Amino acid sequence: MKLRRAKSDTNTELELPARTDVVTIVRPSGERVQARVAEGDGQSLLVALMFRTERPFESGRLDGLVLEFTSRRGRIRLQGAVTLEDRELLRFRELHSLEVIQEREYVRVAATRPVAVTAPSNRSSIQTFSVDLSGGGMLLAGPGTLKIGEQIQFRLTTAQGGPPITGTGTVVRTDSQGRRAVCFDEIGEGDHRRLVRYIFECQRAERRRGLDRNERHGR
């Protein structure tokens, strides 16, 4: 999934994930490792790996690591000096922002669409549906078996009879209703364009409905 650099703003305070937030450590090879923020003091972050990796992190081989997380602004990518404090604990210091996906791609729209998900905890495909969609992720109605930090494969159908939008994502949180928020990890460029186009179409339809309501009420 291609990311566009946001315009830099030297007056904007650096946004960091909060304690217990799920983040992703991206190696220069592109390998993505799920972690959780163990502590932060506003200038550095200590993150704990959520799963064992095939290639353990080693001191002296930590250059180029990127820390990635999502916020209301979109997906934020940070980089800085990294030290290994334990086999599964990494300290990120002197952090600076690399990029933020443009906000226009992270407009969120309410959309109930069929989604098939497959997760390591359940290798068979499970049918559910989206509650809302954005260019960077989606909120799913279920299933309740999905765990925070778990990576899933998904097949999202936006048009009846059309090819599904496919990719992988990570469950980053659940809400009070048990719905699962998924952040996209990998999605084809063509599929991503179709998704963003669908989101814009939903926005236009919603604006038209709003205009029609206003006309009926003489506004």
Side-chain angles (χ1 to χ4, degrees), residues 29 68 77 80 98 109 126 143 161 164 167 198:
S29 64
E68 196 173 273
R77 292 163 57 85
L98 289 178
V109 297
I126 300 174
Y198 174 76

Side-chain angles (χ1 to χ4, degrees), residues 37-133:
V37 178
E39 62 181 49
D41 58 12
Q43 297 182 356
S44 69
L45 295 170
L46 181 68
V47 301
L49 305 187
M50 296 178 66
F51 307 101
R52 288 186 177 272
T53 61
E54 293 184 3
R55 293 190 304 114
F57 290 98
E58 299 178 2
S59 297
R61 296 186 177 182
L62 301 175
D63 291 341
L65 295 182
V66 173
L67 190 68
E68 196 173 273
F69 70 101
T70 57
S71 76
R72 292 181 181 179
R73 295 172 58 204
R75 184 179 299 190
I76 297 177
R77 292 163 57 85
L78 305 173
Q79 200 167 43
V82 187
T83 54
L84 187 66
E85 299 206 352
D86 195 351
R87 180 183 175 89
E88 298 179 356
L89 285 173
L90 292 170
R91 174 79 65 178
F92 286 77
R93 297 185 176 88
E94 304 171 16
L95 289 163
H96 60 275
S97 177
L98 289 178
E99 57 191 351
V100 181
I101 293 181
Q102 288 182 349
E103 292 184 7
R104 70 181 186 87
E105 293 188 350
Y106 275 86
V107 173
R108 190 170 294 276
V109 297
T112 303
R113 303 304 306 163
V115 184
V117 298
T118 306
S121 59
N122 190 335
R123 295 188 178 182
S124 60
S125 179
I126 300 174
Q127 295 293 325
T128 182
F129 60 89
S130 64
V131 177
D132 61 41
L133 296 170

Side-chain angles (χ1 to χ4, degrees), residues 23 26 28 42 48-50 93 98 101 112 124 157-158 160 178 190 197-198 206 214-215 219:
V23 297
V26 186
L49 305 187
M50 296 178 66
R93 297 185 176 88
L98 289 178
I101 293 181
T112 303
S124 60
T157 302
T158 56
Q160 187 172 3
R197 187 163 57 245
Y198 174 76
E206 180 57 35
N214 289 341
E215 289 177 359
R219 296 177 183 175

